[in-house]
């Protein structure tokens, strides 16, 4: 028997038209579109099947630069005590973490003390800076050059504006400092915090368009930009859509970068969303984050930082971190999610979703640019209003039981009590203060329902 004979050549191919005719026959008079076609919040109509003879010429030409190596497992560490943070970094690297992200509290932190005895050759270290200091960025860059370390700085003045409502100082000063860093830094320094759009309730088209507009502001305002940009993304449990969203993001970013004659790619860090996480029946959060991490990996994330199942109500703890890290280790070493490069290629459904999300996001991006760009629309309040409208629609679906979170608005455990277990306040805090713009506020779907349950305990 010849081993070169193509499989299934003995079977007659079935066309898309034949499949649809058979489906309509089985429906026994029910309307095909009303029964089997559903529409997503982004306006994408999802069909019951996808066939190669329906793939348009443009769809077959989707070209996405997949990461050259498998995803890295990232451990987040907030640096308050340098010695303890250093010890924790060493411990987590020994327990399976492959990269570390330090969130630095202020510019008094000593990089040399923080990095003591940490391996530098193969491990990537991210420095998330909630402040803007040229001197500190220079210190990190010089330490990396001197010690041949793989460092990435994460600075995002626009992200600061969206989340806080104010710049670090003001627009002119922030970009003056950023341009100073750009002209001298030998390492990646620029970050786009796009996860806030998802966590605040933006739909996927909005998330992509706002992220692209976010990047475009930096392309326009930093002439000396020559290093890859880090993009932080949040993903939810709409499995195939999230895979397509990440693919569309990389496609759109590369398309935009080429317009500015940049040939670098983006470095995508993915974290599961907080929007669908719950404090009641909290173990279900592990199931949610598992599928979300799978979407991240299959969508082409460079780095994945899992969210601990108890992150909403517990302070950082070794058990929660270990379980979150082990979820990724199982996916990598037991489920072999690191063995195939760009596994979503050729899946008609995902290719179709990628194309539609990219097209719709590009259309919205062009509208944003036509009306002054992201910063202008943030100052005018347009972006906040659009996200709020999207979030309210999703909230209404949850309140009516059409959007389901198990253990919260579906099959709740009546005996579950959380009142005495809250180490953190898991709800939006109201903090009236003067801001330049209305900040974009992250909010979970279950907050109102959970507050009512807590009040009745």
């Amino acid at each position: 028997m010849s081993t070169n004979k193509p499989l299934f050549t003995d079977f007659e191919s079935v066309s898309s038209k034949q499949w649809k005719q058979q489906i309509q026959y089985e429906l026994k008079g029910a309307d095909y579109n009303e029964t089997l076609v559903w529409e997503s919040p982004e306006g994408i109509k999802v069909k019951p099947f996808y066939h190669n003879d329906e793939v348009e010429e443009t769809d077959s030409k989707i070209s996405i630069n997949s990461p050259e190596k498998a995803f890295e497992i990232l451990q987040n560490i907030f640096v308050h005590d340098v010695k303890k943070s250093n010890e924790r970094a060493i411990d987590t690297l020994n327990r399976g973490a492959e990269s570390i992200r330090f969130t630095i509290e202020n510019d008094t932190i000593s990089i040399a003390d923080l990095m003591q005895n940490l391996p530098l050759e193969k491990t990537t270290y991210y420095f998330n800076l909630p402040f803007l200091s040229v001197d500190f960025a220079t210190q990190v860059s010089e330490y990396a050059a001197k010690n041949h370390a793989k460092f990435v700085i994460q600075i995002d003045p626009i992200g600061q504006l969206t989340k806080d409502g104010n710049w670090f100082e003001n627009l002119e000063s922030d970009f003056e400092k950023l341009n100073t860093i750009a002209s001298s830094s030998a390492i990646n320094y620029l970050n786009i915090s796009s996860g806030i759009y998802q966590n605040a309730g933006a739909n996927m088209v909005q998330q992509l368009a706002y992220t692209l507009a976010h990047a475009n502001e930096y392309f326009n305002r930093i002439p000396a930009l020559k290093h890859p940009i880090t993009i932080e993304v949040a993903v939810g449990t709409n499995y195939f859509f999230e895979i397509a969203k990440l693919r569309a993001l990389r496609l759109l970013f590369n398309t935009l970068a080429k317009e500015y004659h940049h040939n670098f790619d983006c470095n995508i860090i993915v974290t599961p969303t907080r929007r669908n996480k719950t404090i009641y029946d909290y173990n279900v959060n592990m199931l949610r984050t598992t599928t979300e991490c799978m979407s991240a990996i299959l969508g082409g994330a460079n780095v994945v930082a899992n969210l601990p199942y108890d992150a909403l109500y517990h302070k950082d703890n070794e058990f929660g971190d270990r379980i979150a890290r082990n979820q990724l280790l199982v996916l990598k070493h037991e489920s072999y999610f690191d063995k195939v490069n760009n596994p979503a290629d050729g899946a008609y459904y995902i290719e179709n979703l990628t194309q539609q999300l990219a097209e719709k996001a590009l259309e919205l991006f062009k509208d944003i640019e036509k009306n002054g760009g992201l910063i202008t629309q943030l100052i005018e309040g347009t972006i906040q209003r659009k996200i709020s409208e999207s979030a309210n629609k999703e909230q209404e679906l949850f309140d009516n039981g059409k959007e389901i979170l198990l253990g919260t608005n579906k099959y709740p455990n009546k005996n579950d009590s959380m009142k005495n277990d809250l180490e953190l306040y898991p709800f939006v805090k109201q903090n009236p203060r003067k801001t330049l713009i209305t900040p974009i506020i992250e909010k979970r779907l279950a907050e109102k329902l959970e507050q009512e349950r807590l009040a009745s305990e």
Side-chain angles (χ1 to χ4, degrees):
M1 179 178 178
S2 173
T3 58
N4 295 324
K5 184 178 180 181
L7 294 173
F8 307 119
T9 53
D10 292 336
F11 297 93
E12 185 177 340
S13 62
V14 181
S15 69
S16 175
K17 182 178 180 180
Q18 288 173 301
W19 274 112
K20 191 169 182 178
Q21 287 175 340
Q22 182 63 33
I23 291 171
Q24 288 178 321
Y25 172 78
E26 298 290 343
L27 286 174
K28 301 184 185 302
D31 185 86
Y32 175 88
N33 290 318
E34 290 184 5
T35 307
L36 298 179
V37 177
W38 60 274
E39 187 171 330
S40 77
E42 295 78 18
I44 294 175
K45 292 186 177 180
V46 180
K47 300 182 294 183
F49 73 97
Y50 290 80
H51 195 283
N52 66 347
D53 65 14
E54 291 184 328
V55 176
E56 296 180 8
E57 185 70 19
T58 54
D59 289 340
S60 63
K61 292 182 179 178
I62 293 178
S63 178
I64 298 172
N65 296 336
S66 58
E68 294 181 358
K69 62 178 184 176
F71 73 97
E72 290 186 352
I73 299 171
L74 177 67
Q75 178 67 53
N76 288 309
I77 298 177
F78 183 85
V79 181
H80 180 70
D81 183 304
V82 173
K83 187 174 183 295
K84 289 182 178 178
S85 297
N86 172 265
E87 292 172 350
R88 185 180 172 197
I90 293 172
D91 181 61
T92 54
L93 287 172
N94 290 331
R95 288 170 173 259
E98 296 165 328
S99 53
I100 301 289
R101 174 162 54 187
F102 293 114
T103 296
I104 308 294
E105 193 173 28
N106 54 60
D107 62 2
T108 64
I109 298 295
S110 168
I111 296 300
D113 291 344
L114 184 61
M115 298 303 298
Q116 190 171 5
N117 299 321
L118 283 169
L120 298 178
E121 289 185 6
K122 296 182 180 180
T123 306
T124 304
Y125 296 92
Y126 295 84
F127 296 86
N128 181 37
L129 307 185
F131 58 89
L132 182 52
S133 167
V134 175
D135 290 342
F136 191 81
T138 302
Q139 179 188 341
V140 175
S141 181
E142 288 178 349
Y143 185 95
K146 181 179 178 181
N147 295 278
H148 307 288
K150 296 170 64 177
F151 282 6
V152 175
I153 301 174
Q154 292 184 262
I155 303 173
D156 184 10
I158 298 175
Q160 166 72 11
L161 176 68
T162 59
K163 188 173 184 177
D164 185 74
N166 290 312
W167 297 98
F168 289 113
E169 190 172 334
N170 56 60
L171 188 151
E172 291 76 17
S173 177
D174 282 9
F175 276 97
E176 182 181 346
K177 290 179 180 179
L178 206 53
N179 274 288
T180 300
I181 294 170
S183 62
S184 61
S185 179
I187 60 176
N188 302 355
Y189 59 89
L190 195 57
N191 187 67
I192 295 176
S193 308
S194 74
I196 191 170
Y197 305 128
Q198 199 280 346
N199 277 296
N203 65 43
M204 291 188 193
V205 169
Q206 290 173 329
Q207 294 168 44
L208 290 168
Y210 299 159
T211 303
L212 202 62
H214 199 140
N216 198 49
E217 292 285 356
Y218 287 134
F219 284 140
N220 275 315
R221 296 173 186 270
I222 308 175
L225 185 59
K226 57 182 181 293
H227 293 293
I229 296 176
T230 300
I231 303 179
E232 294 183 75
V233 183
V235 295
T237 47
N238 193 344
Y239 189 67
F240 293 109
F241 269 71
E242 292 292 355
I243 294 172
K245 180 182 82 176
L246 293 175
R247 289 164 53 81
L249 173 59
R250 198 175 290 278
L251 177 65
L252 289 167
F253 179 87
N254 290 336
T255 302
L256 180 64
K258 287 178 182 176
E259 293 297 315
Y260 288 89
H261 307 291
H262 295 310
N263 58 4
F264 52 73
D265 199 358
C266 54
N267 180 45
I268 299 178
I269 299 177
V270 179
T271 303
T273 182
R274 287 176 174 263
R275 186 159 171 77
N276 64 359
K277 302 305 180 290
T278 60
I279 62 173
Y280 287 97
D281 218 351
Y282 48 77
N283 288 319
V284 178
N285 289 333
M286 277 189 274
L287 305 178
R288 297 181 181 120
T289 55
T290 298
T291 66
E292 288 160 356
C293 287
M294 289 166 63
S295 292
I297 298 164
L298 297 178
N302 300 91
V303 183
V304 182
N306 196 10
L307 183 73
Y309 75 100
D310 59 349
L312 297 180
Y313 66 94
H314 268 173
K315 295 177 182 177
D316 281 351
N317 62 90
E318 194 276 336
F319 183 77
D321 282 346
R322 179 170 173 246
I323 292 298
R325 194 166 54 248
N326 283 349
Q327 287 174 263
L328 291 171
L329 287 168
V330 168
L331 290 175
K332 192 165 195 175
H333 298 297
E334 295 189 26
S335 303
Y336 308 110
F337 269 52
D338 62 330
K339 300 301 181 186
V340 179
N341 187 289
N342 215 3
D345 270 1
Y348 303 138
Y349 178 40
I350 295 176
E351 293 278 7
N352 184 278
L353 291 180
T354 302
Q355 186 76 21
Q356 290 196 65
L357 286 171
E359 288 175 353
K360 288 177 178 292
L362 187 60
E363 183 179 348
L364 178 55
F365 165 73
K366 290 178 179 178
D367 181 72
I368 293 169
E369 295 306 310
K370 181 180 177 182
N371 289 282
L374 182 73
I375 293 175
T376 296
Q377 294 222 320
L378 282 169
I379 292 172
E380 293 174 350
T382 305
I383 301 295
Q384 296 91 321
R385 177 172 53 81
K386 293 293 185 181
I387 292 177
S388 180
E389 290 172 358
S390 174
N392 289 338
K393 288 179 182 178
E394 188 180 18
Q395 187 68 54
E396 186 177 344
L397 291 174
F398 173 80
D399 294 342
N400 293 334
K402 294 179 181 179
E403 179 85 12
I404 294 171
L405 292 181
L406 293 177
T408 301
N409 69 340
K410 188 79 169 179
Y411 308 123
N413 179 0
K414 301 297 184 181
N415 299 320
D416 197 0
S417 176
M418 290 298 297
K419 194 169 187 178
N420 298 320
D421 294 324
L422 302 182
E423 296 178 355
L424 300 173
Y425 187 71
F427 310 111
V428 173
K429 293 182 180 179
Q430 299 296 329
N431 182 25
R433 56 194 172 83
K434 186 177 181 180
T435 58
L436 177 65
I437 68 167
T438 301
I440 296 174
I441 305 296
E442 299 180 354
K443 187 176 181 181
R444 295 181 299 108
L445 290 168
E447 286 196 17
K448 182 181 177 182
L449 191 58
E450 289 173 347
Q451 286 177 310
E452 291 173 353
R453 284 189 64 175
L454 283 170
S456 65
E457 287 185 16

